Amino acid sequence: MPRLRVLAVAARLPAWAEEACAGYARRMPRGYEVERISLKKLPAKREAWIVLDEKGRSMTTMQFAALLKSEATFLIGGADGLPDEVKAAARLVLRLSSLTLPHALAQVVLLEQIYRAATVLTGHPYHRT
């Protein structure tokens, strides 16, 4: 089972965003589990993170789904984004949108896209092309 983690540098999410994120995490297809971790600051240990940034690489749903075939740790920065050295050391810098998204909404969009990609990989009809 691929282990998927979402690390978010932020204060607590508003209730609407927490409910939406928890809902997508709960609905993951069998074999996929998402662990959500809220951080006050970045951990000293650097991992092969997939960093979210508005200047990152765009992907299609199918390309994103390919990321979920193995373990993945997604990192969402705080209000000021992430330091350049974190982005430079990332496995991938990914953008959810060219638009700047509020932190809470970025988490919801990421969880929905993880859910969508997992359903693609398990043959569930949620994603329609």
Side-chain angles (χ1 to χ4, degrees):
M1 165 176 20
R3 182 177 178 204
L4 307 172
R5 297 187 330 155
V6 176
L7 307 178
V9 179
R12 195 169 178 189
L13 288 179
W16 65 267
E18 182 59 43
E19 184 178 327
C21 287
Y24 284 117
R26 200 172 38 252
R27 292 170 47 200
M28 286 294 156
R30 181 170 294 157
Y32 288 87
E33 183 179 334
V34 175
E35 177 184 13
R36 296 172 51 233
I37 302 168
S38 182
L39 305 170
K40 296 212 184 284
K41 63 179 184 172
L42 288 174
K45 180 184 172 196
R46 299 291 187 230
E47 298 180 31
W49 293 321
I50 297 170
V51 170
L52 298 183
D53 186 84
E54 66 186 11
K55 296 178 183 126
R57 178 178 162 200
S58 292
M59 294 186 128
T60 66
T61 296
M62 301 312 278
Q63 290 168 326
F64 185 76
L67 290 176
L68 301 191
K69 290 182 179 178
S70 62
E71 182 174 314
T73 300
F74 296 90
L75 178 61
I76 303 173
D80 296 322
L82 293 163
D84 289 338
E85 62 268 16
V86 170
K87 292 183 231 178
R91 170 178 155 198
L92 170 69
V93 180
L94 175 69
R95 92 169 130 204
L96 295 175
S97 170
S98 296
L99 303 171
T100 302
L101 299 175
H103 187 85
L105 186 55
Q107 284 196 52
V108 172
V109 171
L110 175 61
L111 265 289
E112 190 281 334
Q113 289 301 300
I114 291 172
Y115 173 73
R116 180 178 297 273
T119 63
V120 164
L121 294 171
T122 58
H124 188 279
Y126 180 76
H127 177 71
R128 294 172 182 87
T129 54

